[in-house]
Amino acid sequence: MSANSEVRDGMRIDWDVIVEMDDGLQLRADVFRPDDDGQYPVILSYGPYAKGLAFQEGYPSAWDRMVEEHPDVAAGSTNKYQNWEVCDPEKWVPEGYACVRVDSRGAGRSPGYIDHFSPRETRDFYECIEWSGVQPWSNGKVGISGISYYAINAWHVASLQPPHLTAMIPWEGAADWYRDMTYHGGILSTFWDNWYDMQIKTVQHGVGENGARSIVTGELVAGPDTLTDEELRANRCDFGNEIASHPLDDQYHQDRSPDWSKVTVPFLSASNWGGQGLHPRGNIEAYIRAASTEKFLECHGIEHWTEYYTDYGVDLQKRFFAKYLQGDDAAWDDQSRVQLLVRHVDRFVERAESDWPIPRTDWTKLHLDPSDLTLVHDPVTAEATITYDAMGDGLTFFMPPVEEEIEVTGPLAAKLHISSSTTDADLFLVFRVFDPDGEEVTFMGAIDPHTPIAQGWLRASHRKLDESLSEEWRPYHTHDEEQPLTPGEVYELDIEIWPTSIVIPPGYRVGFSIRGRDYEWDGDTTGLRLSNFKNELRGCGPFLHDDVRSRPPEVFDNQVTVHFGPDHPNWVLVPQIPND
């Protein structure tokens, strides 16, 4: 047990408790629990963001926006123990839980070598779960809760089936290291390289005096020792370059992805419609494919972190854990399998569904008509071609303004027939909505305040499908080999577009864009940034695809031709929900 144990704000807090791994490395954890001799279920998080770094200190722009717009987040707590993307112990310990926060190997106050999502790190998480399950203050039931990193690694560790893992809430957590996170449709995302610089290297164990101090304890959040830059580099993987050196879904990626057949623990998977480029796909694939028989899906909107901390989110989490960690069946037994905050242009409306995709979905094909760049319900019969410059704005096809309200909720997909002037082509697809004045409707996404309705990506040389996993509404690509194009030859592409939700009012219209580069909002975003990201927010947040190593101009600054006609159907499949 920690040499530093004290009572603060009604909680017994054990600081820097040693948790020894199977290889002898000693991680550090903080434990928040009721101040008595009882045994309680554990809510555990394991990750790299430094358990001693307060949310307000490490991520001030995100915190300030959240509490200003959602005062319920800060209500009922001193907020001294708020940490980035994990639960506030002041809202959980009084409910009869022990909250355990572990700094992952090489981060914060835990020594070691940083290798994110690696088998070693997942094994550490397993060891922390089993340690938590046998402590004298634990009743043996361990739950995992947290956002993003703390949810991604939950899917991974659940594949190992630790005996004391009883339930988990992966909140906005990607799962497939290749498809969800590093290569969208086979196109390298630069997010992780920049994230590593901004959010990990700043709290790596050994930053010491060059880093922050805890506003609660006064201790250095990244360990007592201050190492040289050379020593720090030797203690971490070369993350961005490692990702870039694995352009196919090889063992590197598979080692950092879950085995859905082994994910059997009860879970609540919470997804964000606006999280395009990172999380929503993983949360939804988990619900569809995991072997768990007790699994639930929730989908919401607004910022990536906010709903986890609002009264809406905390109530949902407490009811789930009340059942699975505290044995209160009544708290959750009336819960639907799927709970949606359906997105309207001006609000969200809560609705229960029995499954996902929604069983009553009217799968509607909107065909691309080259004669007037429209979306039509009937297949196109005339042969035609349209060519666009990949680094330009591409092509946008429009529906007429809708006469009655239309709801689109679910996964989308597209079929396109294209040729390229080079040996490859990157396709960036955007499903869009425009108001009666022609202004695009965008939303506060997980990161970016001007996020479009839905996006999808595919590198044409990665067009090979996994027939065993593909559905018309979710093509699934193997990404296990490159199949270069012959310039000028026509190829059929099936393209996944990530799930979304939008109720389109009368007078609004749908647009569907085919591009060769990342989406950019047409409005003024000058200087719009968050403190933990490098780039200006122009519609895609930090989830960009602009690394010239992956997209050399001689290949991807090309001309792409879309081919139309009876033998070359082009359409976008839209999940329209009947108005009951």
Side-chain angles (χ1 to χ4, degrees):
M1 188 53 64
S2 170
N4 187 359
S5 182
E6 59 180 332
V7 175
R8 286 190 184 217
D9 299 302
M11 302 179 290
R12 167 65 61 180
I13 308 175
D14 304 313
W15 304 107
D16 269 354
V17 180
I18 292 174
V19 185
E20 187 164 324
M21 299 295 97
D22 57 350
D23 65 352
L25 188 83
Q26 295 181 338
L27 303 182
R28 300 301 190 274
D30 293 340
V31 180
F32 304 81
R33 56 192 174 91
D35 183 27
D36 57 32
D37 294 327
Q39 293 182 314
Y40 299 96
V42 176
I43 299 176
L44 175 66
S45 60
Y46 170 96
Y49 295 133
K51 60 184 176 58
L53 182 64
F55 196 138
Q56 307 94 311
E57 297 292 310
Y59 302 85
S61 57
W63 174 261
D64 291 345
R65 177 187 175 90
M66 180 169 63
V67 297
E68 179 181 351
E69 298 191 6
H70 303 273
D72 54 319
V73 167
S77 172
T78 70
N79 299 298
K80 289 187 296 188
Y81 311 99
Q82 289 276 13
N83 273 50
W84 176 247
E85 299 190 333
V86 296
C87 68
D88 178 3
E90 288 189 88
K91 293 186 177 181
W92 288 89
V93 172
E95 301 285 334
Y97 294 93
C99 296
V100 178
R101 294 173 173 169
V102 185
D103 276 342
S104 57
R105 183 177 293 240
R109 294 183 65 83
S110 291
Y113 182 84
I114 294 179
D115 189 5
H116 296 296
F117 306 117
S118 65
R120 176 65 262 178
E121 195 178 75
T122 302
R123 185 67 197 184
D124 286 349
F125 199 177
Y126 178 106
E127 298 288 337
C128 291
I129 292 168
E130 292 308 291
W131 176 88
S132 298
V134 298
Q135 296 307 299
W137 36 260
S138 170
N139 72 353
K141 294 183 177 181
V142 179
I144 299 172
S145 177
I147 310 172
S148 192
Y149 199 107
Y150 301 100
I152 296 168
N153 61 12
W155 301 125
H156 301 169
V157 77
S159 298
L160 301 183
Q161 300 181 341
H164 286 95
L165 179 58
T166 308
M168 61 184 192
I169 304 177
W171 196 278
E172 298 189 38
D176 186 315
W177 184 231
Y178 190 91
R179 292 162 185 81
D180 299 349
M181 294 183 265
T182 60
Y183 287 84
H184 298 133
I187 308 168
L188 176 66
S189 170
T190 58
F191 167 73
W192 291 103
D193 200 1
N194 295 325
W195 165 86
Y196 202 42
D197 287 341
M198 299 292 285
Q199 294 184 234
I200 301 302
K201 293 178 183 178
T202 54
V203 293
Q204 181 182 354
H205 183 79
V207 168
E209 293 286 354
N210 294 320
R213 288 186 180 271
S214 167
I215 61 173
V216 178
T217 67
E219 297 288 343
L220 292 164
V221 304
D225 300 323
T226 302
L227 303 182
T228 65
D229 289 344
E230 183 178 331
E231 289 171 321
L232 290 169
R233 280 195 299 272
N235 283 340
R236 65 180 183 244
C237 67
D238 188 4
F239 202 42
N241 285 329
E242 286 186 6
I243 292 169
S245 67
H246 293 273
L248 298 176
D249 186 18
D250 58 13
Q251 196 63 47
Y252 169 81
H253 293 279
Q254 293 160 24
D255 283 344
R256 290 158 176 79
S257 300
D259 179 345
W260 293 123
S261 70
K262 294 180 180 178
V263 177
T264 58
V265 65
F267 65 77
L268 167 62
S269 177
S271 179
N272 188 323
W273 303 121
Q276 301 159 40
L278 190 55
H279 293 305
R281 184 185 186 279
N283 282 108
I284 290 171
E285 283 287 297
Y287 175 80
I288 294 171
R289 296 178 60 196
S292 304
T293 57
E294 297 180 76
K295 53 185 178 178
F296 301 86
L297 176 65
E298 185 274 347
C299 299
H300 55 269
I302 63 177
E303 300 95 342
H304 171 44
W305 45 83
T306 299
E307 289 290 20
Y308 180 81
Y309 294 101
T310 63
D311 287 348
Y312 165 82
V314 172
D315 174 71
L316 190 70
Q317 297 162 53
K318 284 185 176 179
R319 291 193 297 107
F320 178 81
F321 277 152
K323 174 179 173 64
Y324 290 101
L325 297 185
Q326 293 183 326
D328 181 3
D329 291 345
W332 191 255
D333 278 359
D334 292 334
Q335 179 70 27
S336 61
R337 284 286 180 175
V338 176
Q339 178 172 312
L340 307 178
L341 292 182
V342 176
R343 184 166 57 180
H344 293 244
V345 296
D346 58 352
R347 67 194 187 280
F348 292 89
V349 176
E350 186 175 330
R351 190 175 73 216
E353 294 291 347
S354 62
D355 206 356
W356 183 277
I358 297 171
R360 66 181 186 283
T361 299
D362 178 10
W363 299 102
T364 303
K365 286 182 181 176
L366 300 178
H367 297 265
L368 280 57
D369 188 338
S371 64
D372 53 3
L373 295 182
T374 55
L375 297 169
V376 297
H377 289 283
D378 296 324
V380 172
T381 57
E383 294 186 358
T385 61
I386 303 179
T387 299
Y388 63 90
D389 292 326
M391 293 300 111
D393 290 332
L395 306 174
T396 299
F397 297 78
F398 290 97
M399 278 182 63
V402 302
E403 297 180 359
E404 298 180 349
E405 181 178 273
I406 293 175
E407 179 185 337
V408 174
T409 299
L412 298 88
K415 184 181 287 292
L416 298 176
H417 289 81
I418 67 101
S419 62
S420 171
S421 62
T422 63
T423 57
D424 215 335
D426 283 347
L427 282 295
F428 293 72
L429 306 186
V430 191
F431 185 81
R432 308 165 75 177
V433 170
F434 295 82
D435 71 15
D437 295 326
E439 296 294 323
E440 184 174 9
V441 178
T442 58
F443 293 91
M444 180 66 240
I447 303 297
D448 201 297
H450 301 291
T451 302
I453 304 301
Q455 297 185 76
W457 307 264
L458 183 65
R459 176 158 289 178
S461 61
H462 285 236
R463 63 192 176 275
K464 178 183 172 184
L465 292 171
D466 184 330
E467 300 294 347
S468 67
L469 290 173
S470 288
E471 304 282 355
E472 188 172 47
W473 46 264
R474 198 266 281 114
Y476 195 98
H477 298 87
T478 62
H479 298 295
D480 60 0
E481 64 172 317
E482 294 180 351
Q483 298 178 333
L485 311 185
T486 298
E489 187 171 323
V490 181
Y491 295 89
E492 179 178 274
L493 308 181
D494 293 285
I495 305 172
E496 177 182 8
I497 302 173
W498 286 17
T500 192
S501 177
I502 180 62
V503 176
I504 306 168
Y508 287 60
R509 59 178 180 161
V510 167
F512 177 67
S513 296
I514 307 170
R515 301 166 57 88
R517 60 185 176 92
D518 284 309
Y519 166 89
E520 289 187 1
W521 184 58
D522 287 338
D524 181 15
T525 62
T526 304
L528 188 59
R529 298 175 184 272
L530 286 175
S531 58
N532 54 311
F533 297 116
K534 291 181 179 181
N535 62 289
E536 182 181 349
L537 303 179
R538 298 184 55 82
C540 290
F543 309 113
L544 303 176
H545 307 81
D546 54 4
D547 191 322
V548 295
R549 293 175 299 175
S550 174
R551 306 193 71 218
E554 61 269 23
V555 177
F556 295 101
D557 187 1
N558 57 342
Q559 289 192 319
V560 177
T561 300
V562 185
H563 297 255
F564 300 84
D567 295 330
H568 299 131
N570 301 291
W571 43 256
V572 55
L573 183 68
V574 177
Q576 188 169 332
I577 307 302
N579 188 7
D580 293 338

